[in-house]
Amino acid sequence: MEGNRPTNVLLAAKLTPRLLGVLVALYEHSVFTQGTIWDIDSFDQWGVELGKVLAVRSSPSSPATPSPSWPTIRPPTPSSGATAS
């Protein structure tokens, strides 16, 4: 295995609902912290939707276009009157 790649190994005797919640919270905290450091809004829904589309397009085992059941989502334009919350 190559070196100089940070990793985390978490071991538990049993997976409980509480432990699963702790792991999800740990992951969310890690994502938020990295986004803050890199000045990225990690929970930007438009970015998430774009990531899904790009992942489908780049996956060799997936069709070239998203499933017809996926909604087409586009960020609001400044002229649409949408406000940031």
Side-chain angles (χ1 to χ4, degrees):
M1 182 179 218
E2 291 182 34
N4 199 24
R5 292 187 182 240
T7 60
N8 292 316
V9 178
L10 304 170
L11 302 174
K14 183 178 178 182
L15 181 62
T16 63
R18 183 183 189 307
L19 179 60
L20 182 58
V22 167
L23 292 173
V24 169
L26 176 66
Y27 177 74
E28 287 179 346
H29 180 72
S30 173
V31 168
F32 171 78
T33 303
Q34 290 175 23
T36 301
I37 291 169
W38 296 327
D39 196 27
I40 297 171
D41 182 0
S42 303
F43 301 101
D44 173 25
Q45 188 60 38
W46 301 118
V48 171
E49 295 302 322
L50 176 60
K52 289 178 186 178
V53 171
L54 295 177
V56 167
R57 287 182 187 166
S58 66
S59 175
S61 63
S62 296
T65 57
S67 166
S69 64
W70 288 13
T72 302
I73 299 176
R74 292 181 181 84
T77 59
S79 62
S80 67
T83 59
S85 53

